[in-house]
Amino acid sequence: MILSAEEWGIVRLSLLIGGTAMLVTLPIAFVLAWALARGRFPGRVLLDGIVHLPLVVPPVVTGWALLLAFGPAGPVGRWLADWFGVSVLFRWTGAAIAAAVMALPLVVRAIRLSIEAVDPRLEQAARTLGAGRARVFATITLPLCAPGILAGMVLGFARSIGEFGATITFVSNVPGETATLPLAIYSALQRPGGEDMVWRLASVSVVLSLVALIASEWLARRMGRGLHVL
Amino acid sequence: MSFDVDVAVRRGEGRIAARFVTGPGATVLFGPSGVGKTTILQMVAGLVRPESGHVRVGGETLFDATARIDVRPEHRRIGYVFQEPRLFPHRRVAANLRYGMGRGGGDWDGIIAMLGIGHLLDRWPRSLSGGEARRVAIGRALLSDPRVLLLDEPLSSLDRARRGDILDALVAVRDRSGIPILMVTHDPEEAERIATAIVRL
């Protein structure tokens, strides 16, 4: 299948946005997953609910909420403008933020499950062998949940590439800047004679998603066997 | 005086309490299942916090409720062989054995020979039999240079031949290493075989 230069640009942009979204999401998702898996604090159920909101709220509403936060009058938007002189509106960075927020629940879920799967009795054993909390985390907990973290990342990446509703609401559909695969497919559908492009871009989407899904499943299964991949 | 233990903790409806002072050699905590023998070991190791009392090992206070002393488990230098081997599944046997070895390390060659685990070093824990995993767990605890050894039903869920092997190894540990042992069991035969002193619960 031959893609035009324009179509390659769309694929590259989608990969850039999906990859950036995952890099931003990973540390945040890990901290949230850790708090939800191991934390004992009031409001844990509430936090769990908030993290999962993007999964159940209409994406348009999530996009609108991002617009309120990152818009020129929004708290985050004003802070970004004052300190860095930048705005994420109509930019690929904004699309990455939308993708990150939409993927967050999936990534947190996967990492949380992998943390919960680590047997705390192994961590106890490590402590009686003289390892402090930091060493136990680095040598026991983290390696044992690493496959789950990777699986969550890959799944979140696939979700990011498919993001539509929140992105188009938040940063609009700007070719070459925020027009990722789904948005470009939507545009091509509106255009007379755009069917061929729709077919090609849709095929790329399906292949990318399938590869990511299989990779994620494979990693998760490795975790189930108690193997480490790193 | 190896162990000077006086601990109590509430567990659900009941209360687990024990008080004993031991000499050198192996002391066996003997009693039926469910009286909280494992919890007592966990309190000695610092994995469960007693509500009152004290834990002294080799003259050093590791826990004292009134003096508000509670040494962290990683600083207690207590070798703990759990009821399950608890080997780290992502590390080979050799890396498991080395995990607790500090700067000085223990007597690597001597301990491996005594336990007969030299041929297992390159294996993954999941490929070991129950008896092999048990011996590696004992070796891992010994190599962490502990001042005392806690053994929780080290012979449970092993067949007869394996039990004999491990028992011989434990007697060797008791006689050759000179490390005081506190062992939990509900089997009178085991208790007789290894105990220098028996505490009935």
Side-chain angles (χ1 to χ4, degrees):
Chain A
M1 185 172 53
I2 306 299
L3 297 183
S4 69
E6 183 199 358
E7 288 159 356
W8 274 118
I10 293 164
V11 173
R12 264 201 307 277
L13 181 68
S14 295
L15 295 175
L16 171 72
I17 286 172
T20 308
M22 277 312 95
L23 285 183
V24 174
T25 303
L26 178 62
I28 299 168
F30 188 85
V31 170
L32 286 170
W34 187 269
L36 291 174
R38 295 282 176 93
R40 293 285 168 272
F41 53 92
R44 201 169 66 99
V45 178
L46 185 66
L47 180 67
D48 199 11
I50 292 171
V51 167
H52 281 91
L53 269 184
L55 207 59
V56 287
V57 161
V60 177
V61 174
T62 305
W64 173 69
L66 287 172
L67 204 50
L68 289 181
F70 286 88
V76 188
R78 204 175 323 150
W79 178 77
L80 283 176
D82 287 352
W83 285 85
F84 304 101
V86 295
S87 166
V88 296
L89 297 185
F90 309 109
R91 303 297 311 275
W92 72 269
T93 44
I97 291 170
V101 169
M102 294 302 291
L104 188 70
L106 283 179
V107 183
V108 170
R109 272 182 100 89
I111 298 179
R112 179 186 177 171
L113 284 177
S114 70
I115 293 173
E116 285 172 348
V118 174
D119 190 342
R121 295 179 305 175
L122 295 177
E123 298 169 321
Q124 280 189 344
R127 293 198 71 187
T128 66
L129 291 166
R133 286 178 194 281
R135 183 167 171 231
V136 171
F137 177 78
T139 58
I140 307 295
T141 319
L142 197 55
L144 286 175
C145 63
I149 294 172
L150 280 174
M153 293 265 288
V154 175
L155 197 63
F157 179 73
R159 177 67 187 81
S160 296
I161 288 181
E163 218 306 294
F164 183 83
T167 307
I168 204 166
T169 313
F170 179 33
V171 290
S172 184
N173 187 353
V174 183
E177 195 68 47
T178 69
T180 54
L181 277 165
L183 275 68
I185 292 171
Y186 179 75
S187 302
L189 271 173
Q190 312 294 310
R191 209 165 49 221
E195 285 84 0
D196 287 353
M197 188 173 175
V198 170
W199 270 104
R200 288 192 294 272
L201 292 180
S203 309
V204 173
S205 301
V206 170
V207 169
L208 280 177
S209 309
L210 202 60
V211 168
L213 208 58
I214 291 170
S216 163
E217 279 297 302
W218 181 77
L219 288 165
R221 203 142 344 113
R222 285 193 74 119
M223 179 182 74
R225 272 192 276 145
L227 295 176
H228 74 138
V229 291
L230 298 177
Chain B
M1 183 173 66
S2 301
F3 293 92
D4 174 359
V5 175
D6 176 4
V7 288
V9 71
R10 262 192 307 274
R11 272 292 130 105
E13 297 291 289
R15 184 164 172 277
I16 293 166
R19 178 158 59 185
F20 54 85
V21 179
T22 74
T27 305
V28 169
L29 296 181
F30 179 74
S33 305
V35 295
K37 301 189 293 290
T38 296
T39 308
I40 293 166
L41 289 191
Q42 287 175 328
M43 288 192 278
V44 173
L47 299 176
V48 168
R49 194 193 160 95
E51 281 158 15
S52 60
H54 63 257
V55 174
R56 296 196 186 100
V57 169
E60 188 175 334
T61 302
L62 300 179
F63 177 85
D64 192 319
T66 38
R68 295 184 172 279
I69 296 171
D70 187 7
V71 177
R72 294 176 179 201
E74 63 265 33
H75 296 142
R76 291 195 178 197
R77 282 186 55 216
I78 286 179
Y80 195 156
V81 179
F82 300 89
Q83 206 164 347
E84 333 75 41
R86 299 199 191 183
L87 301 180
F88 306 131
H90 59 302
R91 292 171 166 248
R92 288 176 198 267
V93 168
N96 263 282
L97 290 169
R98 235 181 275 117
Y99 191 86
M101 289 175 73
R103 303 131 296 275
D107 172 17
W108 176 269
D109 293 334
I111 287 169
I112 283 172
M114 180 172 69
L115 295 167
I117 50 178
H119 61 295
L120 303 174
L121 295 178
D122 285 332
R123 302 260 293 271
W124 291 100
R126 67 177 175 283
S127 75
L128 300 179
S129 72
E132 289 169 339
R134 204 63 63 102
R135 277 183 286 164
V136 172
I138 294 168
R140 184 176 69 175
L142 284 174
L143 284 165
S144 69
D145 191 25
R147 51 185 149 201
V148 291
L149 202 57
L150 308 183
L151 303 170
D152 191 355
E153 304 264 8
L155 306 183
S156 64
S157 72
L158 292 178
D159 59 50
R160 237 189 142 62
R162 289 286 139 212
R163 292 167 82 97
D165 278 3
I166 305 281
L167 207 48
D168 291 344
L170 290 178
V171 170
V173 169
R174 181 191 68 190
D175 296 342
R176 282 196 244 159
S177 69
I179 298 174
I181 292 174
L182 185 62
M183 172 171 140
V184 152
T185 184
H186 62 267
D187 183 323
E189 209 177 310
E190 276 174 34
E192 287 299 331
R193 181 78 196 283
I194 192 146
T196 315
I198 292 184
V199 177
R200 278 175 205 285
L201 296 170

